[in-house]
Amino acid sequence: ITTLPGLYLVSVGVVKPAIWIFGWSEHVVCSIGMLRFVNLLFSVGNFYLLYLLFRKVQPRNKAASSIQRVLSTLTLAVFPTLYFFNFLYYTEAGSMFFTLFAYLMCLYGNHKTSAFLGFCGFMFRQTNIIWAVFCAGNVIAQKLTEAWKTELQKKEDRLPPIKGPFVTFRKILQFLLAYSMSFKNLSVLFRLTWPYILLGFLFCAFVVVNGGIVIGDRSSHEACLHFPQLFYFFSFTLFFSFPHLLSPGKIKTFLSLVWKRRILFFVVTLVSVFLVWKFTYAHKYLLADNRHYTFYVWKRVFQRYEIVKYLLVPAYIFAGWSIADSLKSKSVFWNLMFFICLFIVIVPQ
């Protein structure tokens, strides 16, 4: 057992009322079937939350019909990495439920509720604290975007805009530095995000008291920086979202961009190869547990052909670029928050 007792506490909240209302014996309500039924309840909740999130994030002028939205929700609800755990007494379904619920409340501006739901998600899985931080980051990103648009408007009135990724990056850094130096700006952000900050302090207290983020079997959960995990995430997402992320047009655009900024991509490729070379790890469960697909992928591909992990680097880079390109409608600050949180939740493993 390496997670906090959130699932068990929720189970008690379902089992005890069943004993009182229906008069069932503890042997019946605490059976394997009934305990797994708790996750089926979470799976129904996840379906509804995904539907509500679709309604919230889709612009009104591009809103899909109800049937399209339901089908999109169903596609995510039966996603293999979530769906198969709905029938087992694992933490995945509950963890996803509270994370989605927290984000939904954040989008509606109910930040106290969002922080409380983030705490519930943390009780299911410690790394969910990162997505509570992301909810706070979403609030901060909104304020930064508003201030950035105002700043750009002022500059465009005085000077013509200067284009280029490095110039834009430098401007954003200067803007963030100036914004963070204002006590008024920081006080506004604090008033909006204090529930998340309080949750962050509670998490820090847990880490100090517990002596680390891991509970239970620490010998099998030693921390490392596993940078290729980010590459695996990009390729996994590209594979399962290929209708949106992979097309001849996207490949052509990517190749054109590579040629235009070939020095940048050459450096990115070298760094990626180095990260694959020095930071590829294989957990002993991955090597021993043949119940998982990754066991066979690792055994029959990566272990058999050492060169494969290097040959896949261009595909990793394309996948990462394609995901970032698909999120360009979001503000630069939302993307910054998202990719930072994604990095923190995936790479330190």
Side-chain angles (χ1 to χ4, degrees):
I1 305 300
T2 55
T3 56
L4 293 165
L7 180 58
Y8 307 127
L9 295 175
V10 171
S11 300
V12 171
V14 173
V15 165
K16 287 293 185 182
I19 294 174
W20 299 331
I21 296 171
F22 301 107
W24 294 342
S25 68
E26 289 190 9
H27 177 72
V28 172
V29 295
C30 220
S31 63
I32 293 174
M34 280 296 291
L35 290 174
R36 288 177 175 176
F37 178 72
V38 173
N39 274 347
L40 283 180
L41 295 177
F42 277 130
S43 69
V44 174
N46 284 331
F47 181 89
Y48 187 53
L49 287 171
L50 287 167
Y51 178 79
L52 294 177
L53 281 165
F54 265 116
R55 290 187 60 181
K56 182 63 179 174
V57 302
Q58 285 179 335
R60 288 186 179 181
N61 60 335
K62 294 182 180 179
S65 66
S66 295
I67 186 66
Q68 285 177 313
R69 196 177 284 123
V70 169
L71 288 174
S72 295
T73 303
L74 184 64
T75 301
L76 292 181
V78 297
F79 194 62
T81 49
L82 175 63
Y83 177 76
F84 290 121
F85 290 108
N86 290 338
F87 308 98
L88 299 170
Y89 197 56
Y90 280 22
T91 59
E92 273 75 8
S95 172
M96 181 63 70
F97 175 82
F98 286 110
T99 301
L100 292 175
F101 206 170
Y103 187 50
L104 182 67
M105 289 297 99
C106 174
L107 293 178
Y108 277 102
N110 300 328
H111 300 302
K112 293 177 185 176
T113 305
S114 177
F116 173 72
L117 292 166
F119 171 75
C120 295
F122 165 71
M123 289 296 290
F124 273 72
R125 183 161 291 179
Q126 293 92 303
T127 51
N128 281 339
I129 193 68
I130 304 301
W131 298 117
V133 171
F134 172 70
C135 289
N138 186 71
V139 179
I140 295 170
Q142 288 177 351
K143 288 297 177 183
L144 288 175
T145 302
E146 292 169 7
W148 176 243
K149 285 180 179 178
T150 304
E151 183 72 14
L152 285 180
Q153 189 63 46
K154 289 179 183 176
K155 288 186 177 180
E156 286 178 6
D157 290 340
R158 299 195 306 263
L159 298 166
I162 303 173
K163 295 183 178 180
F166 295 108
V167 175
T168 303
F169 181 70
R170 181 169 55 82
K171 282 184 176 181
I172 290 172
L173 284 180
Q174 290 172 344
F175 164 76
L176 288 174
L177 182 62
Y179 189 92
S180 62
M181 295 299 288
S182 167
F183 178 77
K184 180 182 177 182
N185 292 335
L186 294 179
S187 62
V188 169
L189 292 180
F190 178 80
R191 286 198 299 271
L192 287 171
T193 60
W194 70 263
Y196 304 108
I197 294 172
L198 179 60
L199 180 59
F201 277 118
L202 288 174
F203 171 74
C204 293
F206 159 76
V207 172
V208 171
V209 172
N210 186 56
I213 194 173
V214 176
I215 61 174
D217 183 11
R218 298 192 181 190
S219 63
S220 298
H221 296 84
E222 297 173 4
C224 67
L225 288 176
H226 196 171
F227 289 97
Q229 284 277 98
L230 198 60
F231 303 148
Y232 304 154
F233 172 83
F234 289 154
S235 53
F236 178 87
T237 305
L238 179 72
F239 178 82
F240 280 101
S241 305
F242 75 90
H244 305 285
L245 300 179
L246 186 62
S247 67
K250 266 191 173 293
I251 295 173
K252 185 178 179 181
T253 303
F254 175 72
L255 293 176
S256 175
L257 188 64
V258 169
W259 179 250
K260 186 188 295 186
R261 297 175 183 162
R262 46 192 176 273
I263 296 176
L264 173 63
F265 277 95
F266 178 72
V267 172
V268 170
T269 302
L270 283 181
V271 172
S272 300
V273 168
F274 175 78
L275 293 176
V276 169
W277 174 42
K278 285 293 185 181
F279 294 95
T280 296
Y281 300 101
H283 196 281
K284 59 184 181 181
Y285 291 173
L286 174 66
L287 302 176
D289 194 344
N290 64 358
R291 297 175 300 170
H292 300 100
Y293 291 116
T294 46
F295 169 86
Y296 297 98
V297 172
W298 195 266
K299 182 179 179 181
R300 296 178 181 178
V301 179
F302 285 87
Q303 274 192 325
R304 185 174 296 179
Y305 310 105
E306 181 74 14
I307 193 67
V308 167
K309 62 184 182 183
Y310 301 108
L311 293 177
L312 286 172
V313 166
Y316 295 152
I317 295 172
F318 169 76
W321 170 85
S322 184
I323 293 168
D325 184 65
S326 71
L327 294 171
K328 63 185 178 184
S329 61
K330 295 285 189 179
S331 74
V332 63
F333 302 106
W334 187 95
N335 274 281
L336 186 63
M337 295 293 181
F338 173 72
F339 281 105
I340 287 174
C341 289
L342 180 67
F343 181 89
I344 294 172
V345 85
I346 285 179
V347 171
Q349 286 292 316

